[in-house]
């Protein structure tokens, strides 16, 4: 079929991979940071001129990188909302990331619609500060003139696709991206324009949601542009996830998602019901404490890095001599304990050693994520294989404990640009459908991720005993807080 490209416009950089359309083999790649800087010491800015994404894209594609490419797929950061006026100009910079300014707006929206259950039933998720619907509420309250001028709403990948196509009249998005907005329902496959009006104060134009293998359009030069999708969905597609697969992502906070044939409605709001890039669904459960638990423990023990903490933990044994850490250092979402703190239980003279605390930190983090997995399993989601993502997945202490605590095969993929690869695979799918060589319901079968596979094996019973010890302490400390 030829060659295709996938570009991933993350919060910090653009990465482009050029792949063989039949096998998925990466032929060449490009990279460029976004020319974006916040005020000194502010970290990543909450407002970004989207032109920065185009500049970064142009730089990453330099040197003839896209020569011979027949189709391009676009993956981009989640939760970025680009408000446009009637002429297609940006009303204000794009609002990106987990915008803490919008926390009050989230609570406001939840109350206005009638509570968490009302939102979960309407669109499969409860508003959080990062979501576009919440940012619209913030905009209406804090920048009413900009809100009034807003006539069109786009997300980062929608906007980039639109720019690549030369800003046509037709604007498109995909199910995956739309499902993260807070005003599109994965269960019904339809927008809720009433929720946009509730947040922004008036109706706006929204992109047309096209199918996973549909093309958004073709450039004047004949380059096909696929539907595009959000980073999470593109990474899942790049990894080759299917039914029975789950992903545990180890960032400062943690997330667990799995492929499922239907949208899950969860009245507590613990599950965020996203759509994927294939026509299936990606229910997600989030924990607030993952790698931050390890970093806090390393600092407490005076260790320089997580590798040192892992080495120390490996000197202990499963169960950490009875030490149990409930890792709710920032409060917690799963279970819903927003104002609690962490708990260290099981202190005895013989357990008061640095290596046991180190081990308890790893086990506590993984047991918290196992709780999140149980939320999905409790709703009938099949989990046979778990992909473990993030730099911390490489740590020996994580790999030693995860399979037995999760009770499943654990796959640790080699680091790669999976979101960009997923975008390229989507481009190959759309190209194949346009040429009549691929079924619109069946994506191209690309080579799977190169990975290390870890089995629970003989350690399963020990791991499940450690898990039960964690559950007992959690129930004693926070009775009834966790109801999967």
């Amino acid at each position: 079929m030829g060659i295709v490209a996938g570009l991933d416009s993350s919060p910090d950089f653009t990465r482009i991979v050029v792949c063989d359309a039949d096998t998925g083999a990466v032929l060449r790649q490009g990279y460029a940071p976004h020319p974006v800087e916040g005020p000194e010491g502010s970290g990543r800015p909450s407002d970004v001129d989207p032109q920065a994404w185009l500049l970064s894209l142009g730089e990453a594609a330099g040197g003839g990188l896209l020569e011979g490419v027949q189709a391009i797929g676009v993956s981009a950061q989640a939760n970025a909302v680009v408000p446009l006026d009637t002429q297609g100009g940006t009303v204000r910079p794009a609002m990106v990331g987990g915008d803490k300014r919008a926390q009050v707006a989230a609570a406001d929206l939840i109350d206005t619609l009638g509570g968490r259950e009302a939102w979960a039933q309407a669109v499969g998720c409860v508003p959080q500060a990062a979501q576009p619907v919440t940012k619209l509420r913030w905009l209406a309250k804090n920048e009413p003139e900009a809100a009034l001028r807003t006539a069109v709403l786009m997300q980062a990948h929608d906007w980039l696709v639109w720019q690549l196509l030369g800003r046509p009249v037709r604007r498109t998005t995909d199910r995956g991206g739309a499902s993260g907005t807070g005003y599109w329902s994965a269960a019904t496959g339809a927008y809720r324009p009433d929720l946009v009006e509730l947040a922004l104060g008036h109706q706006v134009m929204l992109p047309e949601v096209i199918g996973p293998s549909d093309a958004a359009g073709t450039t004047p030069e004949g380059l096909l542009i696929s539907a595009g999708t959000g980073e999470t969905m593109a990474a899942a597609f790049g990894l080759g996830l299917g039914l029975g697969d789950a992903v545990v992502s180890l960032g400062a906070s943690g997330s667990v998602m799995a492929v499922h044939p239907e949208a899950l409605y969860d009245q507590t709001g613990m599950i965020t019901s996203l759509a994927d890039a294939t026509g299936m669904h990606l229910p997600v459960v989030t924990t607030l404490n993952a790698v931050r638990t390890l970093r806090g423990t390393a600092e407490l023990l005076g260790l320089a890095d997580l590798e040192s903490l892992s080495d120390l933990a490996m000197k202990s044994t499963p169960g950490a001599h009875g030490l149990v850490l409930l890792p709710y250092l920032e409060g917690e979402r799963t279970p819903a304990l927003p104002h609690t703190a962490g708990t260290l239980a099981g202190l005895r003279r013989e357990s008061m050693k640095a290596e046991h605390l180190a081990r308890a930190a790893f086990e506590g983090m993984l047991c918290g994520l196992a709780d999140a997995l149980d939320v999905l399993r409790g709703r009938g989601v099949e989990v046979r294989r778990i992909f473990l993502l993030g730099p911390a997945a490489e740590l020996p202490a994580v790999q030693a404990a995860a399979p037995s605590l999760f009770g499943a095969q654990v796959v640790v993929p080699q680091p790669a640009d999976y979101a960009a690869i997923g975008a390229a695979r989507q481009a190959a799918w759309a190209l194949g459908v346009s040429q009549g060589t691929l079924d619109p319901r069946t994506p191209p079968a690309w080579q799977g991720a190169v990975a290390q596979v870890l089995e629970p094996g003989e350690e399963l019973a020990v791991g499940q005993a450690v898990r039960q010890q964690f559950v007992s302490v959690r129930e004693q400390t926070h009775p009834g807080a966790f109801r999967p």
Side-chain angles (χ1 to χ4, degrees):
M1 262 168 39
I3 59 174
V4 293
L7 72 88
D8 175 37
S9 182
S10 85
D12 298 311
F13 55 80
T14 300
R15 220 179 265 283
I16 301 176
V17 296
V18 175
C19 301
D20 181 286
D22 292 313
T23 66
V26 176
L27 307 175
R28 48 188 189 261
Q29 42 199 319
Y31 167 87
H34 292 328
V36 174
E37 291 182 10
E40 192 65 34
S42 71
R44 188 180 293 142
S46 298
D47 292 335
V48 173
D49 182 349
Q51 292 296 327
W53 306 333
L54 281 182
L55 291 170
S56 173
L57 192 166
E59 188 180 340
L65 184 77
L66 299 179
E67 193 174 325
V69 165
Q70 294 166 274
I72 291 180
V74 177
S75 151
Q77 57 183 295
N79 299 320
V81 61
V82 187
L84 304 177
D85 60 24
T86 53
Q87 304 303 309
T90 50
V91 168
R92 70 179 310 284
M95 302 173 73
V96 301
D99 199 332
K100 291 188 175 180
R101 296 175 300 186
Q103 285 174 338
V104 173
D108 190 18
L109 277 177
I110 292 168
D111 290 344
T112 304
L113 193 64
R116 299 171 67 84
E117 184 171 355
W119 277 98
Q121 202 160 7
V123 287
C125 62
V126 177
Q128 298 153 27
Q131 279 183 302
V133 71
T134 307
K135 290 170 179 169
L136 297 182
R137 182 68 153 195
W138 181 91
L139 192 63
K141 295 285 187 183
N142 295 275
E143 298 179 9
E145 289 185 17
L148 279 172
R149 287 176 53 221
T150 299
V152 181
L153 291 176
M154 303 188 89
Q155 294 185 86
H157 80 81
D158 312 339
W159 187 85
L160 284 166
V161 165
W162 185 58
Q163 295 290 332
L164 289 172
L165 289 171
R167 297 162 59 104
V169 173
R170 182 190 188 215
R171 300 178 180 92
T172 62
T173 190
D174 87 307
R175 297 169 63 255
S179 67
T181 59
Y183 45 81
W184 185 88
S185 167
T188 64
Y191 280 118
R192 288 287 302 265
D194 58 315
L195 298 181
V196 176
E197 188 169 0
L198 180 75
L200 191 62
H202 61 92
Q203 293 286 341
V204 294
M205 293 279 291
L206 298 169
E208 175 191 345
V209 181
I210 62 176
S213 62
D214 291 345
T218 305
T219 69
E221 298 77 29
L223 188 64
L224 184 141
I225 310 292
S226 63
T229 194
E231 246 179 348
T232 299
M233 300 79 191
F237 197 39
L239 283 164
L241 299 190
L243 288 173
D245 289 336
V247 172
V248 172
S249 184
L250 300 176
S253 55
S255 67
V256 175
M257 66 180 180
V259 179
H260 197 57
E262 59 190 35
L264 294 179
Y265 156 61
D266 173 51
Q267 64 181 26
T268 68
M270 271 201 296
I271 297 174
T272 297
S273 191
L274 299 178
D276 79 347
T278 72
M280 302 283 274
H281 294 268
L282 276 179
V284 180
V285 180
T286 303
T287 69
L288 294 183
N289 301 279
V291 175
R292 63 165 43 98
T293 304
L294 305 183
R295 294 204 183 284
T297 307
E299 288 170 13
L300 179 65
L301 294 174
L303 300 173
D305 50 42
L306 297 187
E307 288 74 18
S308 302
L309 185 71
S310 174
D311 292 345
L312 186 61
M314 294 299 284
K315 294 177 181 175
S316 180
T317 53
H321 273 247
L323 274 192
V324 176
L325 178 65
L326 301 184
Y328 308 149
L329 307 184
E330 298 282 330
E332 190 48 83
R333 279 185 59 187
T334 309
L337 296 165
H339 306 300
T340 194
T343 301
L344 184 63
L347 282 170
R348 297 181 182 276
R349 179 66 189 87
E350 61 270 19
S351 66
M352 295 176 72
K353 292 182 179 176
E355 60 263 34
H356 302 324
L357 178 56
R359 179 88 189 197
F362 282 96
E363 291 177 347
M365 174 188 76
L366 292 169
C367 284
L369 289 159
D371 278 352
L373 272 168
D374 281 352
V375 172
L376 296 178
R377 284 170 164 149
R379 296 297 306 278
V381 177
E382 184 183 12
V383 178
R384 292 194 308 267
R385 185 170 65 156
I386 296 169
F387 285 75
L388 203 55
L389 303 185
E394 303 286 337
L395 296 172
V398 169
Q399 296 189 4
S404 61
L405 291 177
F406 292 157
Q409 182 187 85
V410 168
V411 178
V412 184
Q414 282 187 3
D417 304 320
Y418 291 110
I421 291 168
R425 189 179 178 206
Q426 186 194 64
W429 194 6
L431 180 65
V433 169
S434 76
Q435 294 174 340
T437 57
L438 286 178
D439 187 321
R441 294 160 300 181
T442 309
W446 279 13
Q447 300 161 346
V450 178
Q452 186 177 3
V453 178
L454 309 168
E455 301 284 356
E458 296 176 0
E459 297 295 315
L460 181 60
V462 174
Q464 293 305 292
V466 172
R467 179 84 206 289
Q468 190 52 54
Q469 184 175 261
F470 177 91
V471 169
S472 298
V473 171
R474 188 195 66 221
E475 281 302 304
Q476 289 166 10
T477 312
H478 305 286
F482 184 70
R483 294 186 181 89

